[in-house]
Amino acid sequence: MALAPKFAGQKLAGSGIAPKAVHTLELYLDYVCPFSAKMFKTVFGPLKSTLTSSPYDSKVVTIFRQQIQPWHPSSTLTHEAGAAVLRLSPDLFLPFSAVLFEQQTAFFDVNVVNETRNQTYARLAKIAGSVGVNEKEVYDLLVISDKPGKDGALNTGNKVTDDVKLMVKANRLTGVHVTPTVLFNGIVENSISSGWTKEQWEEWLEKNVV
């Protein structure tokens, strides 16, 4: 869990080094949630330059937490694709996410209901390919075999299943349910809205990141 700077004394530091902590801003977002898309486009768009320059670049860490919402079945598939990109080209994860959020309606219920799971994976791999990730390698991590495993297993999953399990386990520990949810130093910050502008975010940062 994140540690607020005011509690930096709780952190073990090496000899002669003053314990230090920075603020942590965690955005729990779902690729098929319209409100998550709004927040992503602001925070990782016009607000990005604010967060990555002085004084905030040394005071706050911003994290995109992938939050699967299982009542949208395709949510799992899109986040598996995100996990595949993280595995292959972590530096392209945010560009991939930006394009996926732009095209998110293509993965809403009515647009996936008549295609197979692997067909959906193929479309997600193509999006990854459009930002420079190896499309074939993404698909190879995602594809589900129609043959039983060597031990006869039928729920074989894919090559990022274990990664997604870790994400889900970590998110469950926070109690986050819906998206977008924002945690500031490990505590849910209900005052933040998905509809905030860059200027509203900057006003909040000025008050809270000290």
Side-chain angles (χ1 to χ4, degrees):
M1 180 179 287
L3 180 67
K6 69 172 69 177
F7 303 130
Q10 298 173 346
K11 188 176 183 180
L12 178 66
S15 176
I17 301 174
K20 182 181 179 181
V22 296
H23 295 285
T24 304
L25 189 65
E26 299 170 270
L27 312 180
Y28 287 76
L29 307 176
D30 178 19
Y31 286 126
V32 294
C33 166
F35 301 102
S36 291
K38 288 176 65 176
M39 181 172 285
F40 179 91
K41 290 173 185 177
T42 301
V43 174
F44 295 95
L47 189 67
K48 181 180 178 180
S49 61
T50 300
L51 291 168
T52 56
S53 59
S54 181
Y56 300 115
D57 58 339
S58 62
K59 291 185 175 182
V60 62
V61 173
T62 304
I63 302 172
F64 169 13
R65 298 284 192 193
Q66 293 176 245
Q67 175 73 9
I68 294 171
Q69 296 191 116
W71 46 92
H72 300 306
S74 61
S75 175
T76 298
L77 310 190
T78 60
H79 287 289
E80 285 178 316
V85 172
L86 285 171
R87 180 85 70 86
L88 297 169
S89 304
D91 57 318
L92 294 176
F93 172 72
L94 291 178
F96 164 77
S97 297
V99 176
L100 182 50
F101 273 122
E102 284 291 342
Q103 299 183 27
Q104 68 172 187
T105 57
F107 299 94
F108 284 4
D109 289 351
V110 298
N111 290 322
V112 298
V113 68
N114 289 321
E115 66 183 9
T116 68
R117 183 172 172 179
N118 284 338
Q119 286 173 327
T120 303
Y121 286 147
R123 292 200 290 126
L124 289 163
K126 189 174 292 292
I127 290 176
S130 74
V131 300
V133 189
N134 187 296
E135 180 180 340
K136 180 181 183 303
E137 290 181 4
V138 171
Y139 184 73
D140 286 345
L141 289 176
L142 297 174
V143 66
I144 299 290
S145 174
D146 59 359
K147 303 292 190 297
K150 293 180 180 179
D151 59 353
L154 300 179
N155 274 329
T156 54
N158 57 31
K159 294 176 183 176
V160 296
T161 296
D162 287 342
D163 295 350
V164 171
K165 285 181 178 179
L166 285 175
M167 291 180 192
V168 172
K169 184 176 183 178
N171 292 8
R172 284 176 177 172
L173 292 173
T174 68
V176 170
H177 177 52
V178 295
T179 62
T181 295
V182 177
L183 269 63
F184 183 59
N185 295 329
I187 299 173
V188 174
E189 180 56 68
N190 287 316
S191 68
I192 295 175
S193 169
S194 63
W196 273 12
T197 62
K198 173 179 180 282
E199 291 71 28
Q200 287 173 301
W201 270 104
E202 289 178 334
E203 182 180 351
W204 182 88
L205 287 167
E206 186 176 355
K207 292 178 180 177
N208 292 278
V209 178
V210 294

